[in-house]
Amino acid sequence: MSRLPKLIVILGPTASGKTEMALKLARKFDGEIVSADSRQIYRGMDVGTGKIEADKRGLQRGFAQIIARGISHYLIDVVNPNEEFTVAQYKKMALAAIRNILKRGKIPFLVGGTGLYIQAVVDNLVIPVVPPNKKLREKFEKELKAAKESGIRNQESEVLEKWYKKLLKLDPEAIHVVDPKNPRRIIRALEVCLATHQPFSRLRQKGKPLFDVLQIGIAMPREKLYKRIDRRVDWMIKNGLIEETKELLKRYDSTLPSMSGIGYKEIGEFLNQKPKTKNQKHKLLNEKIQEIKWRTHAYARRQMTWFRKDKRIKWMKSFKTVEKEIAKWLNY
């Protein structure tokens, strides 16, 4: 039997119900939640990231904390949308939060859908500390901005593809670890390759395990998941995604990696186009909403592709099954 401290991971694709399940489990087993979501780290990006509404905000022994439905959450609202935040930073902060939870005799739940964040903690990845390459980023963002302003269909995708091919020339194995649709991950991998003169894919080595980990994945048929995604997108539109994006664009450049995230990118394009008639406006908005849904479907598929590589994950459908598995594992 492992003497390492215990850590429970609740993971799955977007809209699979991780948040609700984790809340129930945290109440049942006297736990606290550490977020593993690369979008919810940004302040002010609430509706479009499906962020849980905070009842209270504050500090817990120096750790930024939100209380939501009576449960403490960490690693939410960590940086502003224009600030850099690396996987190495995430790992450091997540480990500190988990140890803080354990020190107070509670059970830490690592909850989210960002596979690399989860792996960084579970496998204690040794991540190279490489500062951002400002010149490279400026060139990248300039090309993305020009593509966006050109009005030519698929121009942004072509720019991303061009830069992704640059990465694969330096590191062919990056195809297995870097999402070709994620500008932030592409530029970060390129920075690491150029700074270290080594393939990005080989630099993230597993370290000595820090925790005895139980990883539970939320299993759901694809069609049911897509319907849940579509309902959530509709909810976001009704509950202020357009207004939230409008406010963010007053403060932040649309080419920032955070602002190119699903939902914000499409609504930003809608706000930028300014259709002349109500009918045109309505039609354009509906097109952008459908784009958000399709992009989110694709994102969910990529998440599942990542998670399926890890055979340690136990896939379960119901809360009762998960509850029994955790109780047995904890000798509860």
Side-chain angles (χ1 to χ4, degrees):
M1 183 180 291
S2 175
R3 293 189 178 183
L4 293 172
K6 290 183 179 288
L7 171 67
I8 298 167
V9 179
I10 305 295
L11 58 82
T14 185
S16 58
K18 301 181 295 294
T19 300
E20 290 301 321
M21 183 172 286
L23 282 165
K24 290 181 185 177
L25 293 168
R27 286 194 199 98
K28 171 73 178 177
F29 296 103
D30 192 23
E32 295 184 351
I33 293 171
V34 178
S35 171
D37 189 306
S38 62
R39 284 157 47 91
Q40 293 188 3
I41 60 169
Y42 295 115
R43 301 184 190 106
M45 305 186 86
D46 303 330
V47 178
T49 64
K51 198 179 292 177
I52 192 167
E53 189 174 348
D55 304 320
K56 183 181 175 184
R57 297 175 185 272
L59 294 174
Q60 170 60 255
R61 299 191 182 187
F63 295 89
Q65 170 200 50
I66 73 167
I67 309 289
R69 301 190 215 171
I71 302 297
S72 293
H73 292 66
Y74 305 88
L75 273 292
I76 291 174
D77 291 347
V78 178
V79 293
N80 293 322
N82 62 342
E83 293 178 306
E84 174 69 17
F85 191 74
T86 65
V87 177
Q89 286 173 284
Y90 173 80
K91 180 191 171 188
K92 182 178 179 181
M93 294 178 73
L95 291 180
I98 290 166
R99 286 167 178 150
N100 176 44
I101 293 167
L102 288 164
K103 192 181 292 184
R104 291 180 287 108
K106 293 182 177 288
I107 301 294
F109 285 82
L110 186 65
V111 181
T114 301
L116 186 52
Y117 278 12
I118 293 168
Q119 189 187 13
V121 174
V122 169
D123 290 327
N124 189 20
L125 292 183
V126 179
I127 303 165
V129 179
V130 175
N133 184 325
K134 290 184 179 179
K135 285 186 178 179
L136 189 71
R137 289 193 174 218
E138 284 173 4
K139 185 178 179 184
F140 180 59
E141 287 165 10
K142 185 178 179 181
E143 287 191 25
L144 275 180
K145 188 172 184 178
K148 185 173 184 177
E149 292 175 350
S150 71
I152 301 172
R153 190 175 179 82
N154 297 324
Q155 193 75 0
E156 281 183 85
S157 297
E158 288 179 15
V159 170
L160 277 182
E161 186 180 354
K162 181 183 111 176
W163 283 76
Y164 192 64
K165 284 179 179 176
K166 286 183 181 181
L167 170 62
L168 295 183
K169 280 184 180 179
L170 296 173
D171 180 10
E173 292 302 306
I175 196 169
H176 301 299
V177 295
V178 179
D179 179 0
K181 304 291 185 183
N182 190 322
R184 185 173 60 169
R185 296 282 181 242
I186 294 170
I187 197 66
R188 184 61 187 158
L190 269 168
E191 284 174 340
V192 173
C193 287
L194 292 170
T196 63
H197 303 290
Q198 295 182 62
F200 175 75
S201 59
R202 293 182 197 167
L203 288 171
R204 297 177 307 174
Q205 300 298 318
K206 294 180 182 181
K208 187 177 178 181
L210 299 174
F211 306 105
D212 180 12
V213 181
L214 173 65
Q215 292 191 87
I216 293 175
I218 309 301
M220 186 173 291
R222 182 174 287 187
E223 290 308 312
K224 183 179 178 181
L225 179 64
Y226 286 174
K227 287 177 182 177
R228 286 175 63 94
I229 287 170
D230 293 350
R231 285 197 299 269
R232 191 166 79 167
V233 172
D234 290 336
W235 180 91
M236 287 175 177
I237 296 296
K238 289 177 184 175
N239 285 271
L241 179 58
I242 296 171
E243 293 75 15
E244 182 173 88
T245 305
K246 193 180 293 184
E247 287 303 309
L248 287 164
L249 287 171
K250 289 177 183 176
R251 301 173 60 192
Y252 304 110
D253 195 292
S254 63
T255 61
L256 286 169
S258 58
M259 293 302 297
S260 66
I262 300 173
Y264 296 106
K265 176 180 182 291
E266 292 78 12
I267 297 303
E269 290 170 348
F270 165 72
L271 293 169
N272 188 51
Q273 287 190 34
K274 297 181 176 58
K276 295 178 181 179
T277 68
K278 282 187 178 180
N279 283 341
Q280 288 175 336
K281 183 177 180 180
H282 183 70
K283 183 183 176 185
L284 178 60
L285 179 58
N286 283 338
E287 287 173 358
K288 293 302 175 184
I289 290 170
Q290 190 58 56
E291 283 180 29
I292 296 170
K293 291 175 180 178
W294 285 335
R295 277 190 72 199
T296 310
H297 294 175
Y299 175 57
R301 292 195 297 272
R302 292 195 300 274
Q303 286 176 298
M304 287 305 299
T305 299
W306 177 288
F307 290 135
R308 285 193 188 105
K309 296 175 193 171
D310 192 339
K311 303 306 178 185
R312 298 166 297 181
I313 297 171
K314 297 186 176 185
W315 293 95
M316 299 180 182
K317 294 180 181 179
S318 71
F319 173 78
K320 285 288 183 186
T321 309
V322 174
E323 183 184 31
K324 286 179 183 177
E325 182 69 23
I326 291 175
K328 180 182 174 183
W329 187 71
L330 291 173
N331 297 316
Y332 205 72

